[in-house]
Amino acid sequence: MSHSAEIESLAAELHRNAIAISLYCEQSNIPHKSLKSVTPATLIPDDAPASLQAAKERIKEAALRLTQLASDPREFLNSFQVEYQQLACLRWLCHFKIPEQVPLSTSMSYEAVAAATKVPVRQLKSAARMAITRNFLQEPEPGQLAHSSISAAFVNVPSFNDWAVFMASTSAMVATNLVEATQKYGETKSKCETAYNVWQHTDLPFFDHLQLDQERTRQFASYMKNVTSAKGTSIEHLLTGYDWDSLGNATVIDLGGSNGHASIALARHFPNLQFIVQDLAETIEKSRPNMDSFDLKDRITYEGHNFFTPEPRQNVDAFLLRMIIHDWPDAESIEILRNIAGSLKPGGRIIIMDTVLPAPGSGPRSVEAALRVRDLAMLETHNSKERELEEWEALLKAADSRLQLRSTHQPSGSMMSVLEVVRDDSVSTNGHS
Ligand SMILES: C[S@@+](CC[C@H](N)C(=O)[O-])C[C@H]1O[C@@H](n2cnc3c(N)ncnc32)[C@H](O)[C@@H]1O
């Protein structure tokens, strides 16, 4: 295909999907989103049909490819100058809590915002005007600062502010230290030899070190809360992404289940299932609900268990491992899987919900890039990784050859896939019981 044909077909794809969205909004009496107004904040509502959600994704992908196609090599580095300054400005604005000061329904002068937040007007103007080019805040008339739909969300969802500060002050700083980590440690799988370790001059693993700083621990918790509530990692995909009824009357052990929010959601939808939430004793102690008033106490129990020790329960119907394995390098992941494989009943299942990296270039660039963000973050903070399907298969085989990957499914809109693993006792074990 010639370059002119590619640009035309991308533009046509964008146009086709934009028309579909516009038509849907008109027929459903939904106002069109505009960069000039705060509402609606989303192009289409979250409950719009899946075909429209797919149209929105195709618009973003076509627009991204069109921008890349229209840019020449000399512009490549210029675009990075913009990106790092955008991140620095977002950090500045969130650190000084500028969004909180700007009124939601009207505008305020730069001088008044600066006085209220005790920052210099010069810095405020520079940072805000840069962010405005990314649709964060607006300047409806010269010298007046107002919200855009994005900056307004930072007021309505205060944890966005913590997330932004954590991303800009910690995650981005860690990422830039990958060079130093490679220079210092070379090839390593140690959780204490990461870009985070170089940056923080510590020998402690990420979570142990983070715990020493209350403010950053709080920001990280906000970040995790947003990750959990984000559409791509929503618990909804766990409910729809697997045929839970196929388990029949079963007990599921939710390994590393934290406060049990996945088990709670599943228990409410699938009355035949019982759950045992296992996590580190301290985590269970801190995060389980008050069992006296817990309405699901007959179907969900909590117990402290370290998954690096053999699973104490036997003849288990199924395990759920949601966002567990991606935190760990291969050796530890194999140990976790091996510790539960022996406790499964023959034919029992392990349901894994985690990222499966797409083969390079096999899907939309924007989707692949978002998953590669997770892969790099795992590398930079834990020396762990997101895995491609073949790597998942190799991991299962190395843990216990009876563990057979039966199906994988990535629910539409989900960042993670659901892997169904079955213990097949017709396959001989590789030395583990
Ligand atoms: C990323 S969170 C996932 C939580 C939950 N499965 C979910 O889907 O939201 C990882 C969980 O693993 C737990 N964890 C870490 N090390 C553990 C260990 N050695 N034994 C048991 N749980 C552990 C953490 O306490 C945390 O709750």
Side-chain angles (χ1 to χ4, degrees):
M1 189 192 287
S2 73
H3 285 301
S4 63
E6 189 173 352
I7 201 168
E8 282 174 32
S9 69
L10 282 168
E13 161 99 348
L14 200 155
H15 186 242
R16 215 177 19 256
N17 287 293
I19 298 276
I21 298 262
S22 283
L23 263 177
Y24 168 76
C25 290
E26 271 153 35
Q27 285 164 0
S28 318
N29 261 332
I30 296 165
H32 294 291
K33 183 179 175 185
S34 160
L35 292 179
K36 297 195 192 89
S37 61
V38 175
T39 54
T42 55
L43 191 61
I44 47 173
D46 285 354
D47 59 2
S51 61
L52 273 304
Q53 304 291 355
K56 187 177 90 167
E57 293 310 312
R58 282 198 284 270
I59 289 173
K60 288 197 281 187
E61 178 67 11
L64 173 71
R65 285 179 185 257
L66 277 169
T67 305
Q68 292 182 353
L69 210 52
S71 307
D72 66 40
R74 291 161 300 175
E75 290 160 337
F76 181 73
L77 291 175
N78 276 340
S79 69
F80 280 98
Q81 288 183 328
V82 173
E83 294 307 315
Y84 79 70
Q85 290 294 5
Q86 287 289 8
L87 190 63
C89 291
L90 183 69
R91 179 180 177 218
W92 192 94
L93 293 163
C94 290
H95 178 89
F96 292 110
K97 301 202 165 32
I98 304 301
E100 253 177 54
Q101 262 326 302
V102 177
L104 277 171
S105 52
T106 171
S107 62
M108 194 170 171
S109 71
Y110 279 105
E111 286 72 16
V113 175
T117 50
K118 300 191 175 48
V119 297
V121 181
R122 155 83 175 98
Q123 272 99 323
L124 173 62
K125 270 192 183 158
S126 291
R129 284 178 170 162
M130 184 60 166
I132 286 169
T133 66
R134 245 311 175 78
N135 197 29
F136 187 89
L137 296 167
Q138 287 191 78
E139 191 165 337
E141 52 186 284
Q144 290 288 316
L145 205 48
H147 275 295
S148 66
S149 56
I150 294 178
S151 58
F154 278 58
V155 183
N156 297 325
V157 188
S159 61
F160 279 6
N161 209 81
D162 285 333
W163 180 10
V165 173
F166 185 81
M167 180 169 58
S169 312
T170 299
S171 311
M173 304 301 282
V174 173
T176 61
N177 275 274
L178 189 57
V179 168
E180 286 72 15
T182 305
Q183 279 174 335
K184 186 165 177 189
Y185 307 120
E187 184 161 0
T188 172
K189 295 198 168 113
S190 165
K191 288 180 96 64
C192 308
E193 294 179 344
T194 65
Y196 182 83
N197 292 101
V198 179
W199 176 55
Q200 282 293 308
H201 306 287
T202 176
D203 292 330
L204 291 175
F206 172 75
F207 284 118
D208 297 10
H209 187 257
L210 191 68
Q211 270 183 8
L212 306 177
D213 183 332
Q214 281 200 353
E215 180 57 8
R216 280 203 305 129
T217 302
R218 197 182 58 74
Q219 288 165 357
F220 181 74
S222 284
Y223 160 67
M224 277 312 291
K225 197 171 137 211
N226 282 294
V227 167
T228 317
S229 62
K231 268 175 88 182
T233 46
S234 156
I235 212 80
E236 191 63 32
H237 301 306
L238 178 69
L239 304 181
T240 59
Y242 185 67
D243 181 7
W244 292 97
D245 286 326
S246 70
L247 289 174
N249 292 322
T251 298
V252 180
I253 297 187
D254 183 359
L255 197 71
S258 187
N259 60 5
H261 67 122
S263 291
I264 292 171
L266 285 166
R268 295 206 191 286
H269 281 77
F270 301 99
N272 290 341
L273 299 178
Q274 306 268 335
F275 293 87
I276 300 167
V277 179
Q278 293 181 341
D279 207 299
L280 294 168
E282 315 85 78
T283 306
I284 292 287
E285 202 50 47
K286 263 191 286 177
S287 53
R288 84 169 139 207
N290 177 348
M291 296 308 275
D292 293 334
S293 53
F294 185 36
D295 62 333
L296 290 166
K297 62 172 176 266
D298 294 338
R299 295 180 48 216
I300 303 182
T301 51
Y302 287 78
E303 59 189 32
H305 168 62
N306 179 343
F307 51 48
F308 289 113
T309 60
E311 168 61 42
R313 293 181 178 266
Q314 289 302 313
N315 227 21
V316 175
D317 297 321
F319 284 94
L320 167 65
L321 274 68
R322 183 172 180 273
M323 294 201 285
I324 299 299
I325 298 295
H326 79 153
D327 277 345
W328 301 96
D330 286 353
E332 284 85 349
S333 299
I334 289 169
E335 202 181 334
I336 297 170
L337 289 166
R338 194 170 282 164
N339 279 334
I340 59 174
S343 318
L344 265 183
K345 67 178 188 191
R349 303 178 210 178
I350 305 176
I351 294 135
I352 298 174
M353 185 157 206
D354 225 319
T355 306
V356 177
L357 277 182
S362 62
R365 284 185 180 196
S366 48
V367 173
E368 183 177 338
L371 292 174
R372 294 201 177 279
V373 165
R374 293 163 70 100
D375 180 49
L376 282 161
M378 287 294 129
L379 172 67
E380 290 151 0
T381 43
H382 306 292
N383 261 332
S384 107
K385 60 182 175 184
E386 303 294 1
R387 297 175 170 90
E388 292 184 18
L389 198 55
E390 297 74 54
E391 293 174 294
W392 277 104
E393 282 172 323
L395 207 58
L396 293 164
K397 194 167 172 198
D400 190 315
S401 50
R402 293 171 298 180
L403 296 181
Q404 302 286 314
L405 180 62
R406 187 149 77 183
S407 66
T408 62
H409 170 57
Q410 185 169 5
S412 169
S414 170
M415 294 279 279
M416 296 186 285
S417 297
V418 181
L419 288 78
E420 182 190 46
V421 178
V422 181
R423 178 173 139 176
D424 179 354
D425 282 44
S426 67
V427 180
S428 59
T429 69
N430 41 355
H432 309 286
S433 56

